[in-house]
Amino acid sequence: MLGGCVALILFTGIGSAQGTKGIQHGVRPARFAIRNATIVEGNGTPAAGPYDILIEGNTIADVVALDPVALKAGRARRPAADAEIDATGKYVLPGLINLHGHVQDERGGIPQPLEYELKLWLASGITTVRDVGSTTRRTLELRAQSAAGTVAAPRLFVYAMFAGAGDAVESRGIRTAEEARARVRALKAMGVDGIKIVGIDRDLMQAMEEEAKQAGLPVAHHAGVEETNAWDDVKFGTRSIEHWYGVPDAALADGVQHFPASYNYNNEVDRFRWAGRLWREADPERLGRVLQAMVDANVAWDPTLVIYEASRDLLRAQNQPWFKEYLHPTLEEYFRPNPANHGSYFIGWSSTDEAYWKENYRIWMAALRDFERRGGLIGAGEDAGFIYQLYGFALIRELELQQEAGFDALRVIQHVTFNNARILGMEGKLGRVRAGHLADLIVVNGNPLEDLKVLYATGTETIRNGQAARTGGVEWTIKDGIPYHGPTLLREIKELVAAARAKRPG
Ligand SMILES: [Zn+2]
C-alpha cells in the first residue's frame, strides 16, 4: 500500500493556483512567505493580523507584524522570499492535530488504499496524527516516510496497541506483570512513541504503566466498563483518557452501573444501549472529585465526541453530504449494519435509545466544561474509520461538537492545536504559529472563529451579496514546510473513489 503513495510527491502543476507565486503542490520551497495573514495562534489568544509568515525549510523562521500605515505608504518591513502565498482575507492556523487516528489500509479485511486516508487528512488541514493502536510496524514505516517527505502524509506519532489487535504475535498472552513489563520493553525497542491500552486488569495496568514511565512512553487509555477506570489512570499516571467510559464509571455511587439482569457486555446492542445510560448514573459530587483528581494528576481527556454521534442521531451519521463523492466503497461496505460484523446494533436502534444518548451527551459535555474550568487539559481526536465517521471530516465535526459542549471556537481551536501538542509532549515544536516552531500551518478560506464549518475540506454555504455562495475549505495545508493544495487533494480523492466504485462488482 505504501508504494503507491511515494510517487505522489512528484506531482506538480498548480504553480498557477490563485494568489500564489512559485508554489508547487507537494514541493518544499527553500524559503517562502505567507503574506497578509490573519493569525489564530493556537494558544487561545485572539486572532490578529495582518502578518507575513516566513518559512525556511521546515521551520517558521519569522512572524512579522505589518504596520498598516507603513504598508499604505509602501515602506513596510517585509521579509524577502522566493515564493509566496497571498493570504489576504484568509486565516492562518497551526496545522490541526488529530489526537485519535487509526492508520487503516483495509476495512473488514478488504484493502483500502492508504493514500485515500492520508489525503483526506491533509485536505482537512491535519498535519499531525497520533495513531492510537494500529499495525505498529507498518505505521512506523509510514512515520519514517512522512518525516523524510517521501509520502504526502501528516506527521505520525505511533502509540502501539499494548495487547490485542495490531501486532498480535508479540502481544499474545500477557497474563503476568512480568509479561506486561516485557511487552513495554519490546515496544520501546521497536521505537514507538507511546502505548495505547484498552480495558485492562489492574495488576497488569500498574506494571505496564510503571515500565512505560521508565521507558519514557506516554500511555493513552481507552477505558471500557472494566476493572480499571479513571481512578487507576490518576493513580498510575496515564497521559490521556480516550473517549469517556472510565470517567462516569469512576463516579458511580454503588461502584457498578444498574444493568438489567439479562445484560451481556459482549453483546454490542446491550453495550451501546446501556452505555447511553451511564452518565445519568454518575453521582455529581463523586464526579467532581474524579475530575479534580484527573486535573491534579495531569491526566488529559481526549473525548472523541464524534465517534458516538450515530448513537444519538443515526440518520445524521448515515447521511453526511461528503459520502456522495468521498466515501470509498470499502469503507461504505464496512459501515453497513450487518449482523455478521460489528456495528449491527444499529439495526433496530430506537427513538428511546437516541433520547437516552442525547441526555448522555448533555451530562458528558457538562463534565468536559467542568474539567477544563478546574484546569484540565482537553484535546481533540476523531477515531474515524468506524461508525460512519470519515477521516478528516470527523475531526472537524468533533470541533463542532466541542463548540456545542459550550467551548468558545477560539478554545476549540486551542484544543485541536496547542493542547494536542502538549498532550503529545511537543509543545515547544507544534501547535502554534510561532517563530522557531515546525512549519505546520493551514491557510483557511474563511474565519473559523465565526464558523468552524469553513474548516471542512468541501467548505460550506454562505450568503455573499445576497447570493448563495460556496466558501471555506482549507486552501493550503503546510506540513514540515511542504505546501499541499486542498482543492487538488480533494480532486484526487474524488477520482480515487470514483475509480474504486467503477471497479466494484455488481
Ligand atoms: Zn480508536
Side-chain angles (χ1 to χ4, degrees), residues 428-448:
K429 283 283 163 201
L430 293 176
R432 285 177 78 158
V433 183
R434 188 174 177 179
H437 278 227
L438 289 166
D440 286 10
L441 300 163
I442 58 175
V443 181
V444 183
N445 192 6
N447 179 359

Side-chain angles (χ1 to χ4, degrees), residues 163-323:
D167 299 274
V169 178
E170 299 96 319
S171 62
R172 202 177 290 142
I174 297 171
R175 298 196 178 93
T176 66
E178 204 28 68
E179 283 166 356
R181 291 177 190 278
R183 169 70 174 160
V184 172
R185 288 192 295 269
L187 288 172
K188 176 71 180 177
M190 281 175 80
V192 305
D193 301 296
I195 301 177
K196 159 95 170 289
I197 53 175
V198 294
I200 182 172
D201 288 341
R202 189 166 289 120
D203 55 333
L204 301 182
M205 181 175 173
Q206 176 164 11
M208 75 74 58
E209 291 241 23
E210 281 172 9
E211 195 70 30
K213 201 150 293 152
Q214 289 215 341
L217 294 175
V219 174
H221 186 195
H222 170 160
V225 176
E226 319 251 354
E227 184 172 285
T228 50
N229 59 41
W231 287 119
D232 300 286
D233 294 305
V234 164
K235 202 183 308 163
F236 303 139
T238 301
R239 175 75 283 236
S240 65
I241 290 179
E242 304 302 301
H243 318 304
W244 58 278
Y245 301 105
V247 180
D249 218 36
L252 296 173
D254 297 323
V256 65
Q257 193 179 348
H258 297 115
F259 297 117
S262 62
Y263 180 95
N264 180 343
Y265 187 57
N266 287 352
N267 176 327
E268 284 192 328
V269 180
D270 278 355
R271 199 158 75 226
F272 274 74
R273 178 160 291 151
W274 289 88
R277 303 168 194 203
L278 177 49
W279 274 110
R280 70 201 326 264
E281 290 199 31
D283 176 72
E285 186 269 329
R286 279 170 188 258
L287 181 58
R289 278 193 276 133
V290 174
L291 297 176
Q292 189 60 48
M294 284 168 60
V295 172
D296 295 341
N298 201 21
V299 177
W301 193 354
D302 175 18
T304 66
L305 292 156
V306 67
I307 200 60
Y308 305 92
E309 182 147 52
S311 298
R312 77 166 193 172
D313 192 347
L314 184 58
L315 276 179
R316 184 191 211 283
Q318 289 176 325
N319 293 284
Q320 298 176 63
W322 29 85
F323 287 176

